[in-house]
Amino acid sequence: MKHESSRSFEQDCYKLLLKIPEGKVTTYKEIAHALGEKGYRAVGRAMNRNPNLIDVPCHRVVKSNGEVGGYATGSCRKLELLRQEGVYVSEDGQVDLSKYRYVF
DNA sequence: CACTTGACGTGCC
DNA sequence: GGGCACGCCAAGT
């Protein structure tokens, strides 16, 4: 399944992202796992390439190690957005997944 | 304990 | 058509 899936993969990622409530975050690996795929890299990459930054809250997705990670328009933007939603982010750019991690 | 290397999977050049 | 790059993760050194 490579050609037939095509963008179906990233479309699923967006769909999952939209399920995340405000103030909650998830990890790339969780998304990939939720999709039944191990390509956690493809998840983040799919959004950075052509992310519907206005339609999809990509900023609610962080790394599994607790770091906020990066962002298409700049990691700073992502950090601000997270704090804006009520998610406390450490100065190092780390989020407490134990509290903000959203389970599908 | 901190850093380095290998690796799943996809999208675009 | 093939190869490369990436918003990563996990294991090894």
Side-chain angles (χ1 to χ4, degrees), chain A residues 54-98:
Chain A
I54 51 180
D55 295 317
V56 183
C58 316
H59 61 273
R60 285 183 199 155
V61 188
V62 298
K63 303 202 298 184
S64 294
N65 62 339
E67 291 183 35
V68 178
Y71 200 49
T73 57
S75 48
C76 294
R77 186 77 175 190
K78 183 175 183 178
L79 209 157
E80 298 263 326
L81 288 166
L82 284 170
R83 288 179 175 173
Q84 192 176 51
E85 295 197 351
V87 179
Y88 173 74
V89 184
S90 185
E91 296 182 5
D92 255 354
Q94 292 192 319
V95 185
D96 193 338
L97 292 173
S98 307

Side-chain angles (χ1 to χ4, degrees), chain A residues 9-23:
Chain A
F9 181 80
E10 61 178 75
Q11 287 298 325
D12 267 336
C13 295
Y14 301 148
K15 199 171 180 178
L16 226 60
L17 249 60
L18 293 170
K19 291 176 64 177
I20 305 175
E22 297 181 11

